[in-house]
Amino acid sequence: CTLLSKHKKTKSYTLKSKMGFFDSDLRYPTVQSERRKHKKRRLVQGPNSYFMDVKCASCFAITTVYSHATTTVACKGCSEVLSRPTGGKAKLTEGSSFRKKADH
């Protein structure tokens, strides 16, 4: 499905593809295209959720929180609310910082 075209000045041959959108190799998709896909439509299926360590803004205690938590999560040290549920991902409170936990 490739054509050889001859350049007049350089006398060299180059390969041109007829199929524009099939140029990328479907067996080795890019990382960006895999992230955009649904979790079940990826080449290797995987969840979108993760666990994270959330640091409280007032007492600096670290609490582990699920990214899609369906209940409010309070700090163990000062009982301040760290995250509240939304329709999908949990929303963190202002001033609290987080980092994703490493996958096992």
Side-chain angles (χ1 to χ4, degrees):
C1 294
T2 57
L3 295 174
L4 288 174
S5 66
K6 185 177 179 182
H7 295 289
K8 293 180 182 178
K9 292 182 181 177
T10 59
K11 293 186 180 179
S12 63
Y13 292 93
T14 58
L15 293 174
K16 289 186 178 180
S17 177
K18 282 182 173 180
M19 300 176 156
F21 66 93
F22 281 118
D23 287 342
S24 64
D25 192 357
L26 297 176
R27 292 176 294 178
Y28 302 104
T30 61
V31 175
Q32 292 86 9
S33 68
E34 284 294 298
R35 283 192 185 140
R36 285 189 301 242
K37 290 182 183 175
H38 186 267
K39 65 181 181 180
K40 292 203 168 228
R41 305 243 187 243
R42 294 182 189 136
L43 191 60
V44 177
Q45 294 180 4
N48 294 330
S49 58
Y50 49 90
F51 287 95
M52 54 189 167
D53 286 332
V54 179
K55 187 188 289 186
C56 181
S58 60
C59 69
F60 302 108
I62 295 175
T63 307
T64 301
V65 178
Y66 184 58
S67 65
H68 291 68
T70 56
T71 59
T72 57
V73 178
C75 177
K76 293 180 181 177
C78 63
S79 300
E80 184 178 328
V81 174
L82 294 177
S83 69
R84 57 184 173 83
T86 60
K89 287 189 176 182
K91 181 135 178 131
L92 296 177
T93 57
E94 292 286 329
S96 60
S97 60
F98 77 97
R99 69 178 175 98
K100 288 184 182 180
K101 287 197 147 210
D103 293 334
H104 292 26

